[in-house]
Amino acid sequence: MMRRTWWIYLIGVLGLIAVAAPFAWMFLGSFKTQGELLRVPPTWWPEAPTTQNYDDLFNKANFPRYFLNSTIVALAVTAGNLVFCSMIGYALAKLRFKGRNALFLLVMATLMVPGMVTFVPLFVLVTNAGLANSYPGLILPFLVSPFGVFLMRQFFSGLPDDLMDAGRVDGSSELGIFARIMLPLTRPALATLGILTFLGSWNNFLWPLVIAQTEDKYTLPVALALYSTGQNAQNFGLLMAGAVVVVIPVLVMFLAFQRHVTKGIAITGIK
Amino acid sequence: MLPFVVLFLAFTAGPVLGSLGMSFTDIRQRDLRTPLSVNGVGFDNYVKALSDETFRRSALNTAYFVVVGVPLTLVLALAAAVLLDRGLKRFTAVFKVGYYLPVVTSIVAIAVIWRFVLAPDAGLLNTVLGWVGIDGPNWLASKTWAMPSLIVMAAWRNFGSAMIIFLAGLQGIPQSVEEAGQIDGAGPWQRFRYLILPLLRPTILFTSVVTGIGYLQFFEEPFVMTQGGPLNSTISVSMYTYQQFGFGNYGLATSMSYLLFVVIAVVTFIQFRVLREK
């Protein structure tokens, strides 16, 4: 029995190494000089650790700006989703109104539509509204997500109706029932929705790529992708450091809230 | 309540129909200012897309990516889930979080890192292969190896997500099923193959649909790592659509994205037919 456990753990650890090695390589590489990064065979630990790459990133390249853009967009999108998805989800789960089922079906249908299909007309719409290359242009299309509506609707459906009736007897307004009685009970779902939305927005690529047309509106993934394919494509140290800056906040956030992330995925099955 | 529904319709449901409409017109970038000069052209864009050599190439590449990538990802995910559920008794949380890490990180950053991992001489992979005497190729510059490299990278990044779903599925199977198999004298592999796997059918259906929909749209990997090359060997439908959009051919781009949409719907439908419970 002892022998069996031993090799199972070996497989598990080898798997972990395979997952972690590229990240470790990136992190260590970001402290190497260009000369060391090009050396054959490559080094693992930086021989002469330098923060030059980060210095370039933050002082010569405009990464503080991209970082700020990413943060603004992700926070706004997250806030919007928490408010709107919980409201629509609540309405779909608990309020009776005409067309409720039709609306829910519509939400479920759009859940399946790939982003690639909608981005051209969305681009035309946003451009005609004069919002291209602006923060609203980056944020507005993502303020409500079908995934979030679905998640919140499922969660609200699980709450008993008696709570609402109790609120009505006590003379609460409908809005009061929603905001003071029902919403606080959905805290776990809100946490899941919030963290998943933030991560999704932080990593979002296609939309900011087409809508951010000048450098001062780039988000981090857009900047990193354009650096890696443009004139900086050979500046390996800079790219490694850039990747670290994109990845680290997400890793920290994920490790802090990972319970909510994996739980949300197990519940809804969608990332 | 109403304004939010409007917001939702404008930015989600509206563009789906808008896209369909645009795919039948000759709309181009300059028409943004003069919407009245847009003409209907019937199925011209679809004919053009389907007879375009590069588009067909991109469709084949996408099929290759999905047909190899989805099973590879699911096998990895299932293996990891079984390992976590049955094999590892301690530190399961560490393993679970570790395997899941790549899923939450930006695909752009991952593609950048993997470009270095796959570099010909100074790369991590070829160095490791060198230890066991294998002289690895220049992965991303090879017509043969570029696509498999992207597939392995995608599997590496995405298996954690399917793993979590499989894990939930495995934990839903009662212990008594396995005990019954044990009493009947079935070995571990037989128990897995004839008892566990059939019970996981709905979970497998679900993960294959979600992974398939994602992989059919793959875009960032070739964008950052190969720009579709070498010689268009890694260009995907999404990436070619994006290029046509970049050239200002909006009508053509939407017709391509609609073709992709139809394929996604058909593939999803087939998966449901094949994998649904009998």
Side-chain angles (χ1 to χ4, degrees):
Chain A
M1 198 61 208
M2 196 53 214
R3 226 180 72 238
R4 221 186 118 215
T5 339
W6 174 84
W7 68 258
I8 285 178
Y9 273 90
L10 185 69
I11 295 176
V13 170
L14 283 178
L16 265 194
I17 291 175
V19 169
F23 288 111
W25 172 262
M26 158 192 83
F27 187 71
L28 293 172
S30 70
F31 294 101
K32 293 177 191 166
T33 59
Q34 176 81 355
E36 192 178 349
L37 282 167
L38 289 171
R39 194 173 313 158
V40 182
T43 52
W44 181 251
W45 295 104
E47 274 174 6
T50 168
T51 53
Q52 183 65 39
N53 295 319
Y54 290 95
D55 199 34
D56 288 349
L57 208 59
F58 286 105
N59 294 324
K60 284 201 208 127
N62 211 354
F63 264 68
R65 178 85 216 184
Y66 312 143
F67 197 95
L68 184 69
N69 288 344
S70 272
T71 310
I72 291 173
V73 171
L75 286 178
V77 167
T78 306
N81 269 278
L82 289 178
V83 175
F84 298 147
C85 292
S86 59
M87 280 183 161
I88 302 183
Y90 175 71
L92 286 175
K94 292 292 179 199
L95 302 181
R96 323 230 152 265
F97 58 93
K98 242 187 172 165
R100 184 175 85 155
N101 288 333
L103 190 64
F104 182 60
L105 276 179
L106 196 65
V107 171
M108 292 311 293
T110 51
L111 200 58
M112 282 194 48
V113 179
M116 213 63 212
V117 170
T118 52
F119 95 93
V120 180
L122 205 53
F123 177 79
V124 173
L125 182 77
V126 168
T127 308
N128 282 336
L131 296 175
N133 203 28
S134 71
Y135 286 118
L138 284 166
I139 294 165
L140 271 176
F142 297 98
L143 281 184
V144 180
S145 71
F147 160 73
V149 172
F150 176 64
L151 179 78
M152 294 312 294
R153 185 223 174 238
Q154 296 307 88
F155 206 90
F156 275 119
S157 298
L159 298 179
D161 283 344
D162 302 352
L163 288 170
M164 297 163 63
D165 296 335
R168 289 201 184 98
V169 171
D170 288 347
S172 286
S173 66
E174 286 297 318
L175 197 64
I177 293 172
F178 167 71
R180 276 196 294 276
I181 302 176
M182 303 300 271
L183 199 57
L185 292 172
T186 63
R187 203 172 292 155
L190 288 175
T192 300
L193 178 62
I195 179 79
L196 286 179
T197 308
F198 189 92
L199 294 178
S201 175
W202 185 270
N203 293 334
N204 193 13
F205 179 60
L206 178 62
W207 183 251
L209 178 68
V210 298
I211 212 71
Q213 288 147 0
T214 56
E215 213 230 353
D216 63 315
K217 292 293 186 302
Y218 286 173
T219 58
L220 279 173
V222 174
L224 185 63
L226 296 181
Y227 270 71
S228 72
T229 55
Q231 56 181 351
N232 283 302
Q234 299 307 317
N235 194 345
F236 297 146
L238 189 74
L239 291 179
M240 290 248 195
V244 170
V245 171
V246 176
V247 165
I248 290 291
V250 168
L251 287 194
V252 170
M253 204 150 172
F254 169 65
L255 290 177
F257 296 103
Q258 50 94 7
R259 248 172 358 102
H260 297 296
V261 178
T262 47
K263 204 173 10 169
I265 284 162
I267 294 171
T268 61
I270 301 157
K271 59 174 176 190
Chain B
M1 174 64 206
L2 193 67
F4 313 129
V5 175
V6 170
L7 195 73
F8 173 75
L9 290 178
F11 288 114
T12 313
V16 177
L17 295 175
S19 188
L20 186 61
M22 284 170 75
S23 71
F24 292 106
T25 67
D26 63 353
I27 184 167
R28 300 181 48 80
Q29 190 166 20
R30 59 168 186 273
D31 297 323
L32 281 181
R33 293 211 184 77
T34 52
L36 291 178
S37 65
V38 176
N39 300 310
V41 291
F43 282 92
D44 277 11
N45 286 323
Y46 289 91
V47 174
K48 207 167 153 191
L50 290 173
S51 54
D52 180 344
E53 195 85 14
T54 315
F55 182 75
R56 281 195 251 168
R57 177 80 237 189
S58 72
L60 277 181
N61 289 339
T62 306
Y64 181 11
F65 188 83
V66 172
V67 168
V68 179
V70 172
L72 179 67
T73 309
L74 294 191
V75 167
L76 270 179
L78 188 55
V82 170
L83 194 70
L84 284 177
D85 191 48
R86 303 290 143 97
L88 305 170
K89 294 278 174 283
R90 298 171 63 196
F91 307 114
T92 37
V94 177
F95 285 103
K96 192 161 94 175
V97 169
Y99 292 153
Y100 192 74
L101 265 189
V103 178
V104 293
T105 46
S106 156
I107 179 79
V108 174
I110 292 215
V112 167
I113 302 167
W114 272 70
R115 254 181 57 200
F116 296 114
V117 171
L118 295 170
D121 297 316
L124 189 59
L125 181 61
N126 279 355
T127 307
V128 173
L129 287 178
W131 293 342
V132 289
I134 299 171
D135 190 17
N138 185 352
W139 301 97
L140 294 175
S142 148
K143 259 180 79 177
T144 326
W145 289 110
M147 188 56 108
S149 306
L150 295 193
I151 291 174
V152 168
M153 187 193 92
W156 175 88
R157 176 179 188 253
N158 291 306
F159 82 93
S161 153
M163 173 193 79
I164 300 284
I165 302 169
F166 277 133
L167 208 50
L170 282 172
Q171 281 157 359
I173 297 174
Q175 203 91 56
S176 56
V177 172
E178 274 221 75
E179 281 161 10
Q182 229 157 1
I183 292 166
D184 288 348
W189 172 251
Q190 284 172 316
R191 290 203 299 272
F192 177 73
R193 171 68 188 78
Y194 296 104
L195 293 174
I196 306 294
L197 216 48
L199 286 172
L200 276 181
R201 210 185 179 89
T203 320
I204 296 173
L205 167 67
F206 187 78
T207 49
S208 70
V209 166
V210 173
T211 314
I213 290 177
Y215 279 15
L216 277 164
Q217 302 176 64
F218 83 113
F219 170 68
E220 288 94 338
E221 295 90 340
F223 186 94
V224 173
M225 295 174 72
T226 60
Q227 281 103 62
L231 295 171
N232 284 340
S233 62
T234 56
I235 195 166
S236 71
V237 172
S238 289
M239 196 179 160
Y240 193 51
T241 303
Y242 174 77
Q243 281 180 359
Q244 288 304 324
F245 167 79
F247 296 147
N249 302 325
Y250 293 174
L252 187 60
T254 46
S255 73
M256 286 177 179
S257 67
Y258 245 84
L259 286 171
L260 181 65
F261 186 24
V262 169
V263 170
I264 289 176
V266 169
V267 168
T268 307
F269 178 73
I270 294 172
Q271 283 171 322
F272 269 97
R273 288 302 294 262
V274 173
L275 285 167
R276 73 169 171 206
E277 281 175 277
K278 298 222 166 83

